[in-house]
Amino acid sequence: MKERKLLMIPGPIEFTPEVLQAMGQPTTSHLAANFLEAFGQALERLREVFLSPSGQPFIVAGSGTLAMDMAAANLIEPGDRALVVHTGYFSERFAAILERYGATVERVCAPAIGDAPAVEEVAAALERGTYKVMTITQVDTSTGVLADVRALAGLGRQYGTLVVVDGVCSIAGEELRQDEWGVDVALTASQKAIGVPPGLALLVASPRAMETFRRRKTPVANYYADWTEWLPIMEAYQARRPRYFATPAVNLVWALNVSLGQILAEGMDARIARHRRIARSFRAALSALGLRLVPVSPEKAAHTMTAVYYPEGVDSALLEKVQQAGVILAGGLHPEIRTRYFRIGHMGAVNPADLLATVGALEQGLAGLGYRFEPGVGLAAAQAALLEG
Ligand code: PMP
């Protein structure tokens, strides 16, 4: 029997053979002509994937946390006020990063785990105070909650607040129209819906964000994250000119360029629709199996991943059973409910066959722990939803 396990966690995900092959190309100089071309093309493609023709893209070696760090380090000066739209663990991480650079942070918290703050509540906070920056976690990976970025970014524009979106678990899977919606910084990492092994921090900054950065009165307090160093590098690669600040992750950039090419070949609208269809089908299966989502309503549930409570009588032993059936899922992350739920990633190159394999393995795991259900009921629901389109 094949030993291979299907990796269905919310990042890192499974990558396409073409991307993995690009990783294995001979490493060249970071100043070689073919690398300048690949890096330059990746920057151009990043603008297209973020739907931000006016944005300044940055590709830097590091993880998603570095992309968050970079946004905060370059936009915040000591004493600035920031508003965090709080939907879970990763929203709290952004608050901590903003505070590290001297911001006074106010949080607009979700009324309950699995919920998101009402847009009206965020509007009320913006009405009460003046904020330089507002952060939104588009999909909080700890709760699987999807924030209404479009409406929130509209508020940011209305109140003159820079809008920063943590899209680590969403960009290239969920709809995000950076320019059209007025998002000032959108950021992600390579290992999720972008479809490249871990190691790249990706960020696109609007002209407004770059202008705010240029007007700083104090130096950026983080040496490696400083746009003063990185902007000339990105501009050089865009112009296919060699320039050095810190060695780029050469093979990851090869792979990124291939993956962005695949994403654009599918088309952003088709890609978003595929993620929606797979998420809907997966939720149909969970519902048929009698499992309850962490997000309080389907409209607040992400399409790139799902967070779901263990049913009565089942605990984290389920993950081991599902793995024995061939599929790797993730445990809980939110500190208050960590042991009560688990998470499934369904983003990037994921296809309907992966979804059906996951539901099948989940049924086997549940059955192995004595959970009572009619075998195949989850599979039938997923299949029916897939066939609906
Ligand atoms: N934000 C969100 C929404 C995430 O899901 C993650 C990673 N799970 C991060 C930030 C941090 O990214 P990284 O682990 O790559 O530093």
Side-chain angles (χ1 to χ4, degrees), residues 10 63-65 68 90 93 137 139-141 166 168-169 189 191-192:
S63 79
T65 306
M68 299 166 81
F90 287 103
R93 176 171 296 189
T137 316
V139 171
D140 198 298
T141 320
D166 171 352
V168 173
C169 197
Q191 74 271 17
K192 303 211 191 201

Side-chain angles (χ1 to χ4, degrees), residues 114-136:
D115 208 343
V119 171
E120 298 73 38
E121 260 194 74
V122 178
L126 289 167
E127 189 67 47
R128 279 196 303 273
T130 304
Y131 298 94
K132 184 179 192 182
V133 166
M134 165 167 68
T135 65
I136 306 161

